[in-house]
Amino acid sequence: NTWLAVQMGTKAVLCCPHIPPTSVLILTSWKIHLRDKPSCTISLNRETNETGKNNCTDGRISWASRLDQNPELQIHPVSISHEGDYRCEMGTTDGNFQRTYHLQVLVPPEVILSPGKNRTVECKAIAGRPAAQIFWAPEGDCVTGKEYQDNGTVTTRSRCHYPDGNVSTVTCLVSHLTGNRSQSTDLLPDSSSSCLDGQQMALPPMEVTTSLSVQMGTKVVLYCPCIPLTRVLITTWRIRFRNKPSCKIAHDRETNQTIETNCVDRRITWASRPDQSPHLQIYATAITHDGYFRCQMATYHGNFRRGYHLQVLGLGTPESPGSTLLIILYAKLSLLVVILVMVGFAFFQWINDCRE
């Protein structure tokens, strides 16, 4: 007996058992017991070279080649209805030989990843056979369930919530016998507020400044003050670079228009739709992004501000391990030069003393 798993839509070839070279083949028959259909039989009489079909009406099940050469059975293309048991019986002058296949049909699921409100995200593995498994990276507060369809496929759904505001991107990992798949998405903040989970609402006048160091080449999200967006008139990001001209990005909630002044760096964008999330995203960060970033939210109750002194760490910054090694190497070389100079001075002094 052989367990055989094949993917739907492909071709499957089932082989009969080997018979001794001295045996004379008389009759070959395939007995097919499908899961959701009546059983059927396909046979070949080698003495009369006649074939027979008993209740076998599926044209996708046929002999693989010329019957006088090969008694293999072919299924093309494979569908879910072909799942079942296939047994080849060969009658010879030395007795009967049998081989049975337990055929399982695999259906790859369609994977859809959808971010939702309030830092939730849903991953669906649709119409898989058997049911797919879903894993998350990083792990969140998740609920997973399965929906069984009439055609034998299963849809797996997993919905996760990420209360940790430091998590900005999540990945759905789908495990299935037809192959593993993964999709990633950015989390959407709460569309009714600019607040992070667990953050208290700001009171005017409000201005907070934060020093932030990030590694060059990574993604950073800068957050505005915690304000209900229904109270916000205009959100403005003012950016003062260390070695470039300043620029400004603003969003008017009444007209839903974005205005950019002197901002040409496409790596600096809104983290999401500005009418849903006023936060700023920089990806990938570069040394040129060093500077001061300030979010100002104008409301009927006053202005709220939050600023970031952003420092990008790279090979040339003192905080990076690479620059620390360079500093140590430079100090050692400087010490070596001083020693050589002192040795050379002593040598020439000795020569002058000898001449005198």
Side-chain angles (χ1 to χ4, degrees):
N1 293 338
T2 302
W3 288 91
L4 181 63
V6 296
Q7 186 166 321
M8 185 178 69
T10 61
K11 179 171 69 174
V13 177
L14 311 181
C15 302
C16 287
H18 294 289
I19 61 175
T22 57
S23 296
V24 178
L25 181 61
I26 301 173
L27 180 68
T28 300
S29 64
W30 279 95
K31 295 184 178 180
I32 304 171
H33 301 277
L34 301 177
R35 180 163 298 178
D36 299 320
K37 289 184 179 181
S39 300
C40 76
T41 303
I42 301 177
S43 60
L44 169 66
N45 191 322
R46 294 297 294 268
E47 292 184 344
T48 62
N49 204 28
E50 292 180 350
T51 61
K53 285 188 177 183
N54 181 15
N55 208 28
C56 290
T57 59
D58 192 332
R60 294 168 293 183
I61 301 177
S62 62
W63 298 103
S65 60
R66 287 177 50 182
L67 304 182
D68 58 342
Q69 294 180 350
N70 198 334
E72 295 175 347
L73 196 70
Q74 172 182 284
I75 310 171
H76 182 64
V78 175
S79 70
I80 295 178
S81 60
H82 292 138
E83 201 163 79
D85 296 332
Y86 296 75
R87 184 175 67 191
C88 177
E89 296 182 353
M90 305 184 76
T92 72
T93 54
D94 294 325
N96 294 333
F97 298 83
Q98 298 180 359
R99 185 173 187 178
T100 302
Y101 289 88
H102 303 288
L103 186 67
Q104 180 186 19
V105 179
L106 308 179
V107 181
E110 178 187 3
V111 179
I112 298 179
L113 184 61
S114 306
K117 296 181 180 180
N118 303 325
R119 298 179 60 77
T120 62
V121 62
E122 183 181 54
C123 185
K124 293 185 291 186
I126 302 174
R129 184 182 177 94
Q133 292 182 296
I134 294 180
F135 305 92
W136 292 92
E139 294 183 355
D141 184 9
C142 304
V143 177
T144 302
K146 294 180 173 63
E147 300 174 2
Y148 295 86
Q149 313 299 325
D150 294 337
N151 62 357
T153 61
V154 184
T155 295
T156 306
R157 295 174 180 264
S158 183
R159 186 177 181 85
C160 289
H161 177 233
Y162 290 87
D164 185 0
N166 293 325
V167 177
S168 60
T169 303
V170 297
T171 300
C172 169
L173 308 170
V174 176
S175 175
H176 195 259
L177 292 178
T178 58
N180 299 328
R181 301 163 183 82
S182 66
Q183 289 188 14
S184 300
T185 186
D186 292 335
L187 293 174
L188 297 179
D190 185 355
S191 60
S192 63
S193 169
S194 62
C195 302
L196 301 178
D197 290 332
Q199 188 179 8
Q200 294 184 351
M201 202 72 69
L203 297 175
M206 179 72 179
E207 180 162 1
V208 178
T209 300
T210 304
S211 295
L212 181 63
S213 298
V214 297
Q215 190 68 37
M216 183 175 66
T218 58
K219 179 172 71 173
V220 61
V221 177
L222 308 180
Y223 295 95
C224 287
C226 178
I227 301 295
L229 295 184
T230 54
R231 302 180 186 175
V232 177
L233 302 175
I234 299 177
T235 301
T236 304
W237 278 96
R238 299 180 184 273
I239 307 171
R240 296 198 301 269
F241 296 108
R242 184 166 298 175
N243 299 315
K244 291 195 300 183
S246 300
C247 78
K248 181 175 68 174
I249 302 176
H251 177 257
D252 189 327
R253 285 189 61 84
E254 290 189 0
T255 62
N256 199 26
Q257 290 184 342
T258 295
I259 303 171
E260 296 187 6
T261 304
N262 206 32
C263 290
V264 295
D265 192 334
R266 294 299 95 191
R267 291 169 293 184
I268 302 176
T269 60
W270 299 103
S272 180
R273 286 175 46 183
D275 60 333
Q276 293 183 348
S277 170
H279 310 307
L280 199 69
Q281 172 182 288
I282 309 173
Y283 184 68
T285 52
I287 298 297
T288 55
H289 293 139
D290 264 7
Y292 182 68
F293 295 72
R294 187 181 71 178
C295 175
Q296 176 175 296
M297 306 182 78
T299 73
Y300 291 111
H301 304 288
N303 295 332
F304 299 79
R305 300 180 182 90
R306 184 170 187 179
Y308 293 86
H309 292 287
L310 184 66
Q311 182 184 27
V312 180
L313 305 180
L315 188 60
T317 55
E319 287 78 4
S320 65
S323 66
T324 302
L325 294 176
L326 289 177
I327 293 173
I328 296 174
L329 181 60
Y330 178 77
K332 290 184 177 180
L333 290 175
S334 300
L335 180 62
L336 180 61
V337 170
V338 172
I339 294 174
L340 291 176
V341 170
M342 294 178 64
V343 171
F345 178 79
F347 177 75
F348 284 112
Q349 186 66 34
W350 177 76
I351 292 178
N352 290 333
D353 293 341
C354 291
R355 289 178 178 176
E356 293 177 358

